[in-house]
Amino acid sequence: MAEVLVAYATKRGSTEEIASVIADEIGERGPRVHLRDAREVHDLLGYHAVVLGSALYNGRWQRPAVRLLRQHLAELARMRVWLFQSGPLDERVHPPTTPRAVLRLLPRIGADPPITFAGRLDAGTARGFIARKMVEHGRAGDFRDWDAIRAWAAGIADALTAVPDDRSAD
Ligand SMILES: Cc1cc2nc3c(=O)[nH]c(=O)nc-3n(C[C@H](O)[C@H](O)[C@H](O)COP(=O)(O)O)c2cc1C
């Protein structure tokens, strides 16, 4: 049975919640899933596949997620890898773009660019000058599209549980 790591890097928790839904969705379809904060991932031993996601802040991924990619390039190149990023609250302000630091690593891992999921800015817990300004400008809210997130995760589970078609061997 496939052992899948679902790792995330978050500042305010909403990316962790996305990762958790992804983990549940994959787990319900067969693979054994391990949900971990990227800061706590020290090796990839025993995993067949990795799903990694980061919150976007100022056009960048959170450091623990980039570090996970950089420190395990060779292992990741031998595994199935899916990436996601969560952020945009308003696509006019934050068009979904992938940070260059991540784009540069993709060919070395052999992974597709991350899918982008809309994020959440909680008016009650937003901290920092820019975050408060964003709240003042009416950008707070929860924009996460759970159907899109679950559909993406279901596709990963399908890819991991697909039985190879060996009819060509007949
Ligand atoms: C100061 C600040 C900067 C942000 N910068 C970006 C950004 O560059 N791109 C983006 O898509 N979202 C950006 N966002 C939105 C966050 O990524 C979004 O709130 C996300 O869901 C937060 O994830 P977290 O709760 O896991 O930390 C920013 C939010 C804040 C408060």
Side-chain angles (χ1 to χ4, degrees), residues 71-109:
Q71 288 183 344
H72 301 286
L73 279 175
E75 291 147 283
L76 290 167
R78 290 192 293 269
M79 301 165 80
R80 312 273 317 256
V81 179
W82 285 269
L83 305 173
F84 72 93
Q85 52 191 11
S86 70
L89 309 165
D90 178 344
E91 295 209 345
R92 287 165 304 178
V93 182
H94 290 128
T97 51
T98 301
R100 244 180 305 156
V102 175
L103 278 178
R104 264 200 296 266
L105 298 172
L106 297 181
R108 299 174 67 184
I109 296 165

Side-chain angles (χ1 to χ4, degrees), residues 1-146:
M1 191 188 297
E3 301 276 345
V4 184
L5 171 67
V6 177
Y8 58 86
T10 178
K11 234 174 168 171
R12 295 275 175 264
S14 66
T15 308
E16 177 178 0
E17 289 170 7
I18 292 174
S20 171
V21 165
I22 290 170
D24 286 349
E25 191 72 32
I26 297 174
E28 277 168 20
R29 289 158 189 262
R32 217 185 331 249
V33 180
H34 307 261
L35 179 65
R36 300 266 186 277
D37 188 316
R39 287 176 300 190
E40 287 155 17
V41 177
H42 304 297
D43 64 65
L44 300 179
L45 284 176
Y47 298 123
H48 301 101
V50 173
V51 180
L52 173 66
S54 176
L56 281 161
Y57 281 87
N58 304 320
R60 297 193 178 157
W61 274 28
Q62 296 291 282
R63 221 171 270 163
V66 180
R67 199 180 301 136
L68 195 157
L69 291 181
R70 286 210 181 109
Q71 288 183 344
H72 301 286
L73 279 175
E75 291 147 283
L76 290 167
R78 290 192 293 269
M79 301 165 80
R80 312 273 317 256
V81 179
W82 285 269
L83 305 173
F84 72 93
Q85 52 191 11
S86 70
L89 309 165
D90 178 344
E91 295 209 345
R92 287 165 304 178
V93 182
H94 290 128
T97 51
T98 301
R100 244 180 305 156
V102 175
L103 278 178
R104 264 200 296 266
L105 298 172
L106 297 181
R108 299 174 67 184
I109 296 165
D112 287 336
I115 186 168
T116 303
F117 295 124
R120 177 194 70 188
L121 177 64
D122 181 42
T125 56
R127 267 179 237 135
F129 179 76
I130 300 172
R132 296 302 321 163
K133 281 278 164 224
M134 289 165 79
V135 171
E136 277 170 31
H137 286 97
R139 304 241 306 279
D142 190 344
F143 304 95
R144 291 171 296 176
D145 181 343
W146 297 111

